[in-house]
Amino acid sequence: MPAAQLVTTLGPQLSSHLTGQPTVTSLAVADPGGLIQSVDWVAVAPPLIAALAGLAVLLADLFLPERRKKLLGRFSVAGLALAVAALLPLTGGTPRSTFCLQDVQGTAGCNYVADHFALVFQLLALGGALIAALLSVHTVDEAKLPGGEYWFLLLSSASGAALLPAARDLATLVVALEVASLPAFALVALRRDGRGAEAALKFFLSSVTATAVMLLGVSFVYAATGSLHLGVIADALPHAPGQLKPVAEAGAVLVLVGFAFKVAVVPFHFWVPDTYVGAPLPVAGYLSVVGKAAGLAGLALVTSIGFRAYGHSWGLVLAVLAALTMTAGNVAALRQRPDTEHGAVRLLAWSSVGQAGYLLVPIAAAGYRPGPDALGATAAYGLIYGVVNLGAFAVAAVVGRSTGNRLDDYRGLFATRRWTALALAFFLLCLAGLPPGVIGLFGKVVVFRAAVDAGLGWLAVVMAANVVIALFYYLVWTAKLFASGPATAPAAAAEAAAPAVRLPASLTATVALTASAAVVLSVLPQLVLQVAGGSLF
């Protein structure tokens, strides 16, 4: 050892021995202030407000008398509305970053970035949670669900779903995904019957397995790159040592598997129909939109940022999975029997699997043609799907109050509930992509264009075939709404038995809100198409 190095190493210890004073190791760096994390409270306000509202509801439930616990639902709706409003100060055009850390090597990175991508998916998550909360107000009372627990779980899950799109490191992504998922298990199980417990158990076991696989993948990626930050991972993967490249590739695959489960991608989709049927209807609608939005956001972030070095590999894998997912979902929806109990909800569940396939197409295209346009197509289609699918679940909640939610129960609905039938017909036409559901048509065109521009012509052909398959079951359901004759009995008899019963105000407001939003977007589709171009904010 050189003398100078020996003195540097042993000097402090020798001095301590001679003087009797303890050794003090210097951790000084050139810029100590760079080690302090900055916090932009405006940037983190949307998920933070939802989380604080959940804690407030949980505490209020302990002190409010039973007769006043209905106020918890109104407070939850107000909290989610405030969280959505908190997105407005962030739409100035310049992304805001927080929880930024500069290490001793001078590498800077931010774990939370409120950019255009994050804001769009936060709007989808918090807006979907707000509509689900409106839909839940009457369900909590009628089904006698524990109000405090229900609203706390819903707000907690919404805060996790809102945090996830802004996360820029794997640790925060995993934590946010679990915060969004764990309360959802309990929400499904709150239904007081065997069906709810069974659905929650299937959902829980499948999700825990996927999370374990994803955590194993995260550990592999960390071992190969030495970082959890997506930007650092992207820079390190191309230069990983040869012996660690298989570890990094295996880790990337396992991480994608975890997010694929949340999106209900084939073959990780079997939990969807039983979970949706067993859960309270607002929870099923919430999972179909907000849960899917969280998974899609995470999948888009890890592929387009962290694993962009493997773009062509995961692009091809996601393209194949998209084709399989949309085909499996649409074929299964096509096979639903009209006289099966809860058949309408089961059809919506399989339809959501098919729609997940469409949503995957632009992410797959981003592997071949990186850029904001592909991810913008996913965001645009996600917003469209969220509005109309939650609207369809709201109408299913209306019909399910007096029937078993069979498809045959919707026959002749126009004769008894005209505006509800018209709203459902419009939602179904939007999902099918047919006029007057113009916004659904424009959304599918945006997705088609993303596939064609990326050179995935075969995937566009598969999508076109699936759109035709979906047309059949959407149109059959729409035709039932306006059918007449003796088969009109199920819904009509229930309405005739209690003609004076009005729908709860919250349920009426949910149907009206989603229908109005779908109509406005069909008249002004540029509002959503601007999202695809990245010019909305």
Side-chain angles (χ1 to χ4, degrees):
M1 179 181 293
Q5 184 176 353
L6 182 64
V7 171
T8 303
T9 304
L10 299 181
Q13 298 179 8
L14 182 60
S15 175
S16 173
H17 177 73
L18 295 176
T19 61
Q21 299 297 323
T23 302
V24 179
T25 303
S26 176
L27 296 178
V29 294
D31 181 18
L35 297 176
I36 301 175
Q37 292 185 349
S38 61
V39 180
D40 185 345
W41 296 106
V42 176
V44 301
L48 182 61
I49 290 174
L52 292 177
L55 291 175
V57 164
L58 188 63
L59 291 174
D61 183 53
L62 298 175
F63 301 103
L64 282 177
E66 193 66 33
R67 67 180 184 278
R68 304 197 65 182
K69 287 192 176 181
K70 290 184 178 180
L71 296 175
L72 296 177
R74 298 176 184 176
F75 179 82
S76 300
V77 172
L80 287 169
L82 184 60
V84 173
L87 294 171
L88 293 176
L90 303 175
T91 59
T94 302
R96 300 180 69 149
S97 304
T98 187
F99 297 111
C100 299
L101 179 66
Q102 184 173 353
D103 61 23
V104 293
Q105 282 81 28
T107 303
C110 294
N111 296 329
Y112 187 102
V113 180
D115 56 7
H116 174 80
F117 173 87
L119 294 180
V120 172
F121 273 92
Q122 285 180 336
L123 174 62
L124 179 56
L126 294 172
L130 175 60
I131 295 175
L134 281 173
L135 187 57
S136 300
V137 170
H138 83 284
T139 302
V140 172
D141 294 335
E142 291 186 355
K144 299 187 182 338
L145 301 178
E149 291 88 339
Y150 184 94
W151 296 115
F152 168 71
L153 292 169
L154 182 65
L155 288 165
S156 299
S157 180
S159 66
L163 170 63
L164 194 146
R168 293 299 181 271
D169 67 278
L170 290 176
T172 307
L173 281 171
V174 172
V175 170
L177 191 62
E178 290 311 298
V179 171
S181 301
L182 290 175
F185 306 147
L187 284 172
V188 174
L190 284 180
R191 186 169 173 176
R192 305 296 182 83
D193 57 16
R195 190 186 298 272
E198 180 184 355
L201 182 60
K202 291 179 180 178
F203 186 21
F204 173 76
L205 293 177
S206 302
S207 183
V208 166
T209 303
T211 300
V213 170
M214 181 168 56
L215 287 173
L216 180 61
V218 169
S219 68
F220 284 177
V221 172
Y222 179 76
T225 62
S227 176
L228 293 176
H229 197 279
L230 294 178
V232 178
I233 291 172
D235 295 335
L237 283 178
H239 308 291
Q243 63 270 27
L244 290 180
K245 284 187 177 180
V247 176
E249 293 168 357
V253 171
L254 295 178
V255 170
L256 294 184
V257 166
F259 284 106
F261 169 84
K262 305 300 181 182
V263 186
V265 173
V266 170
F268 314 106
H269 68 292
F270 292 106
W271 59 274
V272 173
D274 289 339
T275 300
Y276 285 19
V277 170
L281 265 176
V283 176
Y286 175 85
L287 291 175
S288 72
V289 173
V290 180
K292 196 174 265 72
L296 281 169
L299 191 63
L301 287 172
V302 297
T303 54
S304 298
I305 300 178
F307 304 147
R308 63 171 179 258
Y310 303 148
H312 280 76
S313 298
W314 58 252
L316 177 60
V317 170
L318 291 183
V320 173
L321 290 179
L324 293 175
T325 301
M326 65 178 74
T327 303
N330 287 322
V331 170
L334 190 65
R335 297 179 59 190
Q336 297 306 305
R337 295 172 57 87
D339 57 347
T340 303
E341 190 172 9
H342 304 293
V345 179
R346 192 170 287 274
L347 187 147
L348 285 174
W350 284 114
S351 167
S352 74
V353 173
Q355 298 289 342
Y358 303 149
L359 288 163
L360 276 181
V361 171
I363 300 179
Y368 292 88
R369 191 170 181 266
D373 292 344
L375 296 184
T378 292
Y381 195 83
L383 289 173
I384 297 166
Y385 165 76
V387 170
V388 298
N389 205 62
L390 281 170
F393 270 99
V395 175
V398 172
V399 176
R401 298 179 74 236
S402 55
T403 68
N405 243 326
R406 304 171 182 85
L407 289 171
D408 280 342
D409 294 335
Y410 291 79
R411 186 180 295 272
L413 184 64
F414 181 75
T416 56
R417 291 197 180 276
R418 177 170 302 179
W419 294 109
T420 303
L422 288 175
L424 179 58
F426 192 72
F427 296 142
L428 294 175
L429 291 176
C430 286
L431 288 171
L434 286 178
V438 177
I439 191 59
L441 175 62
F442 272 74
K444 285 184 169 55
V445 169
V446 168
V447 173
F448 269 114
R449 187 177 64 183
V452 173
D453 289 347
L456 295 172
W458 66 269
L459 184 57
V461 172
V462 173
M463 182 177 174
N466 275 276
V467 168
V468 174
I469 295 174
L471 281 178
F472 181 79
Y473 63 79
Y474 285 133
L475 290 179
V476 167
W477 193 356
T478 304
K480 287 181 181 293
L481 303 175
F482 304 96
S484 59
T488 311
E495 292 293 332
V501 175
R502 288 191 172 186
L503 292 177
S506 60
L507 191 52
T508 303
T510 305
V511 176
L513 177 63
T514 51
S516 300
V519 170
V520 169
L521 293 179
S522 290
V523 175
L524 301 171
Q526 63 269 23
L527 294 177
V528 171
L529 295 182
Q530 285 174 347
V531 175
S535 60
L536 182 61
F537 299 131

